[in-house]
Every structure is written in C-alpha cells, then in structure tokens.
Amino acid sequence: MLFRSMKNNFIKRVATAILAIAVVVGFTQLPSSAATLDGKLTIKNVEDGATVVGYQIVKENNGKWVKAHNDLTGKFDLNKDPGNDKTFKPSHEQIHAIAGDAAMLGKLEKITFNRVGSDYVANAPKAGMYLVLVKPKAGDTSVYTPMIVSADYIQDAGKPESSELDAKSKFYDTAYAKKTTPELKKEIINKPANGKVTGDETKVGDTHKVGDIVEFKISAPVPIYSADYKTGTLKYEIKDTLSKGLTLDESSIKVYNDTTEVNASNYKLTKDAQGFTVAFKKEYLLDTSDKSKMNVQYKAKINDQAATGFDQNTNTASLDYSTSPSTNNDKQKSKTYHYTFEINGNVHGTHMKETKELIKAGVDATTGALITKETTTGLTSGKTAQKGAKFKLYKKKDGATQASDYASETAIGESETDENGLMHFKGLDAGEYALIETKAPTGYALNDTPVDIEITAKLKADGTLESYSTKIGGVTTNTYKATYNGDKVVTKVDKTGDAAAFNNYKLPPLPSTGGMGVYLFYIIGAAILATAGVMLVRHNRNKKNQAMVK
C-alpha cells in the first residue's frame, strides 16, 4: 500500500510538472486566448483587374516578432519595442529595397489578394507583416507604390494582454494603395517678363523675336519599379520634338533629379535636327533612390524659319514608360507655344495670309491729297510715290525723338516698299519700335521723323495666342483675334481696324520763267560768250595795227 501510495504521488507530481511545463510552453510559444489574430488583410484604391501579391517579411516565433527570412538581415531592423511604430516597420527606402530585390522576393512566402467588392482581400493570413506589390491591369497607365499590411494579434475585450504580440503594436490590416501616373509637364523657365503681353505669366506660351533664346524644363517623376521588372521590359524615355522655327542647343541638355545633375552613365541621350530622347537605363530605374523630381532642362533658339502671327512654333515633349513588365504607355504629351509677328505680313497662313498695317503714301504739297495706288489707280505719279522708299526698324529708345538719336543703334530690320507701298518686317516680338525712313521715293521729300510702332499680344492660360494688335504713331490700326477648336487649332481669325499711312510730300518743280525755262539761260550764256569773243578779236586786231604803224 505504501509503495502504491508513493507511486501515485510520484505520478501526480510528474503530471503536475508536465502540466506546468505545458502551461509555460503555451505562454511562451503561443499567444493566450486573450488575443485574437486579424482575420483578413485588405488593400483599397486598386483598380479592378490588377494583380495584388503580398510577401511576408515579418513572422511570429515563440511569441516574438522576427524577420521572416534570415536573408532579410541587413534589409531592415526590428525594434525590440513593437509599440514604436516608426522604427518597427521598415523605412520607405527599406521597403523599396526589398521590392526591388527579385531574388529576395523569391525566398519569401506569398499570399494572393482577391477582388472582393471594391477591395482586394487576403483571408486567414499567417501572423506577420507583408510587403504588397500591385501589377496594374493591361492598359492602366499607373504604377503602384509598394505598401505594408500586417496580420496582428488584437487584444480581446476585457482580457489582459498576454504578450508583446497584441494591441500595443501599431500595425494595420488595411492599406490604401498609392499609385503614380507619371505627370509629364513641359514649361518655359527663366522667362523674361514682357509688359506688352497680357497673360505673359503662363509658363507654356510666350512671344519672341528671331534670335531669342528660350529655356525649357520637362518634369517627369520616375515611379518606384519593383523587382518584377528586372527580367521583363522596363522603359522610361523622355522625348522632345521642336518645330522648324526652333533650333536646339544640343550642348545645353542636362538631366536633373531635383537640382542634382544625373550622371550621364545612367541614361542614353540621342539627338537629331529637331529634338532628342533621354532613355533611362534599367539598372538606374531599379535603383531604389527617390526619383520623384526627375527633370530635363535645355535651351533652343528662335530661328529665321519661325512661323508668324497665329501660326504656332511648338515644342512637344512625350513620355514612353512601362506600366508593367510587359506593357508601356506612350500617350503622355506636353506642349509649349511660341509666337513671332510681322508688319504687313502673315497673320495666319490658312485664314489670313497677308494684311496691311502701314502703307507708304505720297502727299501732294499743294493740295494735301494722298497720292497712292488705291486713290489714283493708273497714274504714274501714284505708283512712283509708293515704290522704292527704304526704312529701318529699331527697338524704341527712351527719349529718342529724331533719326540722329538712333545713329549708334543697330537696326532690327531693313525694308524697301513694293509697288503697293508696303514695307515688310518679320520675326518681331511684342514690344515698342521706331520706324525711320532712310530713302524717299523719287520726287518726294525724305521724312525721317521716327514713327512709333507698338505690337501688343494676349496669351491664353494654355499658352495659345488669343489676339494681337498693332499701333502706329499712337493709334491702334489693326486688331486680330483667333478662334480655336478643342485641339488648339485656329479655325477663324477676325480683324478690326484699318491700315495707317506713312506720308511723304511731293517735291515742288524747279522755278520757271514762263515759257523758255532753262533754255533762256543757255541763250543768254551763249550771247555773252559770243560778245566776249568778238571783243577779244577786235582787241587783238587793234593791237596788231598799232604795231605795224610803228
């Protein structure tokens, strides 16, 4: 009996010890019933048709959070206090470093998210933290940013916390996807202000004269590309095309990430007569550095082929980039508009090829009547008055009132009037000018008093030219206004006003005696010469006779 009693006591003690060990093991290896695991993980704001996959980077082991794979060591550090949300979760850089490591992703346990209503959901996940990557559906131009969700233990109501795995950790079972649709933006930079242009503050349109330099900036934020792209196609190319009125300064092309110049080894630059392409290399695109402020800057010159009036000189940037390892989007475009003007020239090649702002006219000194082809058709004097006058155009000089004030200045242009009395100046900016006659038509007095010419313009917010006007001698002559369709193409040009006249006075005729004119002077001169000759002959004869008498 004693032995049996001792045996029973021993069994009870062993059983108690086993139970105690089991309880201890239960508390140290598994969360107690005081904590419940999140039942699902949810991703919001992802378009239907996408592929959403989670990669486990943190797991639970013996009641502790640990890295899900030993090779993650060095990728990020787990803080001992999971309540410190900022240090316990991977940083932005660490998240993208993992997302960009294809070999690492291949070692991690994956879960698939399925479309449920408007969300993507993974049911019954294992406890831990997941890096979630989204591959957009075909045709979607977005690139999704990697995100983090966690299947955490939540404290049951009314029950004490049993381990560091429950509610005091600040993990989240729901993530709101952030997608990037690279917004290509083309703008004019370092733009000098022009007080003669209304709406000049726009960064996508301007006015210029031939020879001006225009500076450009193309902004194209590069999204974070995950390791999925490492074995597939990865393209990110910025292309720029200039119209024939702009000449590219090839040496000025620079690529920047914010204000730091990008090493040329990270992209391939190709150039041609009317533009260039910057193609970033795959290795650089997979680099996890922040490229959200990527931009290209360069310069171009307005040349003598520049279109005038409402005819546009354009500069178009386009972006061709990967939205998945097998698809690209090349529909992103951004354009700037540049305008120059003419006097007595083109307004719009389709709707108003030529117009008149200033006509050379002769004025009769006696009657004051205009002698122009328009008012005296068929008269030789009218045609002569209009043709052959020469002019120089200068940038207006403050305080200048006479031609001599411009003697040391360089003329913007020179022109001679045609048979219609029209001078022609091309490639002008909106601004103030002085017109000076340097040669009058035959039979007319030179009028070299500077005539003020002013061109004013109005730009729309989208960079296109709404209207422009010419003012001659302080009086507005013509105003032109364009109508555009939805594609920013001019469909009509309206004109108000009329041309001004640049007058010359006809020279009066030489004085007349009434009938003989200049011939009378010839006769008188001849008579004087004849009389002088007779007198000389008589003088010589008398002198000879006197000598013979002696």
Side-chain angles (χ1 to χ4, degrees):
M1 290 292 295
L2 179 61
F3 174 77
R4 183 180 297 174
S5 175
M6 291 176 64
K7 181 178 180 181
N8 288 339
N9 287 338
F10 175 76
I11 291 173
K12 287 180 180 180
R13 289 174 183 173
V14 170
T16 300
I18 292 173
L19 180 61
I21 292 172
V23 170
V24 170
V25 170
F27 272 111
T28 57
Q29 293 187 349
L30 298 172
S32 75
S33 60
T36 302
L37 181 65
D38 292 331
K40 66 179 181 180
L41 299 176
T42 304
I43 306 297
K44 293 181 175 291
N45 296 344
V46 175
E47 297 295 329
D48 191 12
T51 301
V52 183
V53 177
Y55 299 85
Q56 189 177 33
I57 60 174
V58 174
K59 65 181 181 180
E60 175 257 325
N61 182 38
N62 292 329
K64 302 283 185 181
W65 291 126
V66 297
K67 294 176 183 179
H69 195 284
N70 289 335
D71 288 351
L72 284 170
T73 301
K75 295 289 185 182
F76 67 98
D77 296 319
L78 292 177
N79 190 282
K80 292 182 179 180
D81 177 11
N84 187 336
D85 186 45
K86 292 181 180 179
T87 56
F88 188 63
K89 293 200 296 188
S91 66
H92 172 86
E93 292 75 17
Q94 291 168 340
I95 290 172
H96 291 99
I98 300 170
D101 188 338
M104 188 68 255
L105 292 178
K107 299 175 183 178
L108 301 178
E109 188 167 342
K110 296 192 296 185
I111 58 172
T112 300
F113 289 75
N114 298 305
R115 187 78 176 181
V116 178
S118 61
D119 301 328
Y120 278 84
V121 175
N123 289 306
K126 293 182 180 179
M129 183 184 295
Y130 294 84
L131 168 66
V132 180
L133 301 180
V134 178
K135 177 182 177 181
K137 66 179 180 180
D140 189 345
T141 61
S142 303
V143 178
Y144 286 86
T145 301
M147 65 202 91
I148 293 290
V149 289
S150 300
D152 192 14
Y153 289 95
I154 302 174
Q155 180 184 351
D156 293 337
K159 296 182 179 180
E161 297 176 1
S162 60
S163 75
E164 63 183 57
L165 293 177
D166 47 29
K168 67 179 181 178
S169 61
K170 299 178 182 178
F171 292 158
Y172 301 96
D173 58 8
T174 300
Y176 291 81
K178 294 181 180 179
K179 62 180 180 178
T180 301
T181 302
E183 294 294 335
L184 182 72
K185 182 180 179 182
K186 176 76 170 292
E187 60 184 349
I188 304 163
I189 60 173
N190 300 323
K191 178 180 177 181
N194 189 333
K196 299 301 176 182
V197 179
T198 302
D200 190 47
E201 63 276 5
T202 179
K203 294 184 178 181
V204 289
D206 56 16
T207 66
H208 284 285
K209 70 178 185 300
V210 169
D212 281 353
I213 302 298
V214 191
E215 296 185 56
F216 299 96
K217 179 179 179 180
I218 305 172
S219 299
V222 179
I224 297 294
Y225 285 107
S226 66
D228 301 56
Y229 294 86
K230 197 164 187 177
T231 56
T233 300
L234 180 52
K235 178 189 286 189
Y236 203 85
E237 297 182 357
I238 300 170
K239 184 176 181 179
D240 194 84
T241 304
L242 293 77
S243 62
K244 64 181 182 180
L246 292 163
T247 302
L248 173 67
D249 178 356
E250 296 184 2
S251 64
S252 69
I253 302 171
K254 303 290 183 184
V255 182
Y256 295 93
N257 188 9
D258 197 5
T259 58
T260 302
E261 187 171 352
V262 177
N263 192 295
S265 63
N266 293 315
Y267 60 87
K268 181 181 179 182
L269 175 63
T270 56
K271 297 169 283 188
D272 57 39
Q274 289 306 127
F276 63 88
T277 300
V278 175
F280 291 98
K281 296 181 179 179
K282 179 185 282 191
E283 295 78 8
Y284 182 63
L285 293 173
L286 290 174
D287 182 337
T288 58
S289 61
D290 182 10
K291 305 179 188 67
S292 62
K293 296 183 179 180
M294 190 66 64
N295 65 89
V296 180
Q297 299 180 28
Y298 64 98
K299 300 176 183 179
K301 184 178 182 179
I302 305 293
N303 62 45
D304 57 9
Q305 296 186 66
T308 57
F310 292 99
D311 291 340
Q312 303 163 347
N313 300 284
T314 59
N315 193 345
T316 305
S318 60
L319 178 63
D320 187 358
Y321 66 98
S322 297
T323 55
S324 77
S326 59
T327 58
N328 294 329
N329 170 57
D330 60 358
K331 298 178 182 179
Q332 287 265 1
K333 295 188 186 313
S334 185
K335 184 182 291 188
T336 56
Y337 302 84
H338 313 276
Y339 298 91
T340 68
F341 305 98
E342 294 188 50
I343 293 175
N344 292 340
N346 175 68
V347 174
H348 186 268
T350 301
H351 299 287
M352 200 175 293
K353 291 186 177 180
E354 187 176 73
T355 189
K356 300 173 182 177
E357 285 90 25
L358 182 61
I359 299 174
K360 181 73 183 67
V363 178
D364 188 280
T366 304
T367 65
L370 288 176
I371 306 173
T372 66
K373 188 174 183 179
E374 286 74 15
T375 59
T376 59
T377 303
L379 296 182
T380 302
S381 60
K383 292 180 180 179
T384 303
Q386 293 177 339
K387 186 177 180 180
K390 293 184 178 180
F391 292 87
K392 287 186 177 182
L393 188 68
Y394 296 87
K395 191 72 176 175
K396 183 174 174 58
K397 184 177 179 182
D398 291 341
T401 59
Q402 51 191 357
S404 60
D405 294 328
Y406 290 91
S408 62
E409 303 297 318
T410 301
I412 293 173
E414 299 183 44
S415 181
E416 182 174 344
T417 55
D418 60 17
E419 65 274 7
N420 295 312
L422 297 176
M423 65 199 74
H424 184 212
F425 294 99
K426 182 181 179 182
L428 304 177
D429 193 2
E432 294 181 288
Y433 302 91
L435 180 69
I436 298 176
E437 186 176 47
T438 58
K439 178 181 177 296
T442 303
Y444 288 82
L446 181 70
N447 179 3
D448 65 354
T449 301
V451 175
D452 290 341
I453 296 181
E454 182 179 78
I455 301 174
T456 56
K458 184 176 182 180
L459 293 172
K460 300 168 70 174
D462 63 7
T464 56
L465 179 64
E466 180 176 329
S467 62
Y468 75 95
S469 301
T470 56
K471 186 181 288 186
I472 312 292
V475 178
T476 299
T477 54
N478 296 329
T479 295
Y480 311 96
K481 186 172 183 179
T483 300
Y484 292 83
N485 63 18
D487 295 323
K488 301 180 184 179
V489 174
V490 175
T491 58
K492 183 177 67 169
V493 176
D494 293 316
K495 170 189 170 184
T496 57
D498 203 356
F502 188 103
N503 300 333
N504 285 101
Y505 285 96
K506 190 173 181 64
L507 291 171
L510 290 171
S512 172
T513 61
M516 297 296 290
V518 71
Y519 296 106
L520 177 62
F521 294 97
Y522 294 156
I523 294 171
I524 294 172
I528 292 172
L529 289 173
T531 301
V534 171
M535 291 177 67
L536 180 61
V537 169
R538 285 180 179 178
H539 173 73
N540 290 337
R541 184 181 296 168
N542 290 336
K543 190 174 180 181
K544 182 178 181 181
N545 290 334
Q546 289 175 5
M548 290 176 66
V549 171
K550 292 180 180 180

